[in-house]
Amino acid sequence: MANNQAVLQMAAALNGASRLLLVAHLSPDGDSLGSLLGLGRALMGLGKLVTVFVPDGVPQKYRFLPGADAVVVQAERLPRERCTVVLLDCGEWQRSGLPPEPFAAFPLLNIDHHRTSTGIGQYNLIDKRASATGELIYELLLALSVEIDQEVATCLYTAIVGDTGWFRFSNSTPKVHRLAARLLEAGARQELVNDQMMTMPETYLRALAVVLGRLTTFCERQGAIAWLNWNDLQQFGVTASDLEGLIDYPRSLPGVQVAALVVEIAPRTCKVSLRSRQAIDVSDLAAEFGGGGHARAAGCTIPDSELDNCVSAVRAAMERRLRHA
Ligand code: 5GP
Ligand code: MN
């Protein structure tokens, strides 16, 4: 259970706001989208004026989520009246994609579960033991005495299966399973979620083929790295958000302790996904490059650098960690 005091304080802060702007991180995943849309719908049910901002747009596989068609994608379309900004599943303002003007001057609430998050809001609900931000949203909704309907349950179920890898990762605690059971009892559309999230467009499979072709191992196969360049992305017509899950393949090799996927998301800008088994804390590794995340899953974006240099720098950092593991 998250710190009860923090949950109650955050619930009171949400209750006290009449106009809210909900935002998560760039390259949104199941947890960020499920949390945004689940909390958004519940707050609307309480009579609040809610805007949900997804600056990269909702990736195809998450368009089934209730409320996905009502999000604001372009910053110019955001209402500019004073409101309370709620930053979810992320602890850094820059990763929200919100323009500072006028939003950085508004009251800010921060709800997150990343170990590198320090809490940048006036009120913060940061619990790194939570499997997903969606788990914290569920506790908040209980504190707000909101009824969890089928739509909210489907959003939160998506959040939890996303960040636990369908209950495969080490964050899949007994509590998560109990929460999933409650969400299913509330009518979460498990089959729809699984079907939509497991559908792989042909473009994804083509990108996967290239990643597998470039997979390189090092340090006696304890490290694995692969990459995609800007040309690949353009050729396949994919963006970083469409590539969620590719990193699982390098990590799946037997004996691999740390895996990386480096994607040139714009010319000379590389997004790095990092995954590990017990021996290595990749949130520290990502922090070396200005990023962060969890012990077993983290990432960073390296600006102003050629792809080759990014791949070498990330590999060198992985080798250092493996030597000292
Ligand atoms: P992914 O590799 O799936 O994009 O990200 C893995 C985890 O690391 C996610 O929890 C994500 O939020 C976090 N993460 C990815 N990139 C960054 C980053 O640039 N900064 C921080 N603080 N976290 C990141
Ligand atoms: Mn998350």
Side-chain angles (χ1 to χ4, degrees), residues 29 31-32 89 113-114 132-133 163 294:
D29 56 13
D31 186 27
S32 56
D89 199 37
H113 69 131
H114 288 96
T133 299
D163 265 21
H294 309 288

Side-chain angles (χ1 to χ4, degrees), residues 74-150:
Q74 287 161 311
E76 309 81 66
R77 299 201 168 206
L78 286 171
R80 302 178 75 81
E81 294 95 340
R82 191 175 172 81
C83 62
T84 299
V85 178
V86 189
L87 178 62
L88 297 174
D89 199 37
C90 164
E92 298 87 19
W93 175 268
Q94 320 79 269
R95 288 187 76 218
S96 72
L98 262 184
E101 200 33 60
F103 303 101
F106 294 172
L108 179 67
L109 307 176
N110 191 188
I111 304 169
D112 189 23
H113 69 131
H114 288 96
R115 71 160 48 195
T116 42
S117 290
T118 50
I120 59 166
Q122 270 91 50
Y123 289 103
N124 302 297
L125 174 56
I126 310 287
D127 184 353
K128 63 182 183 206
R129 290 163 310 169
S131 62
T133 299
E135 191 178 323
L136 299 173
I137 302 297
Y138 181 81
E139 286 176 13
L140 276 171
L141 299 189
L142 287 189
L144 286 164
S145 303
V146 172
E147 190 216 339
I148 311 258
D149 64 12
Q150 179 168 59

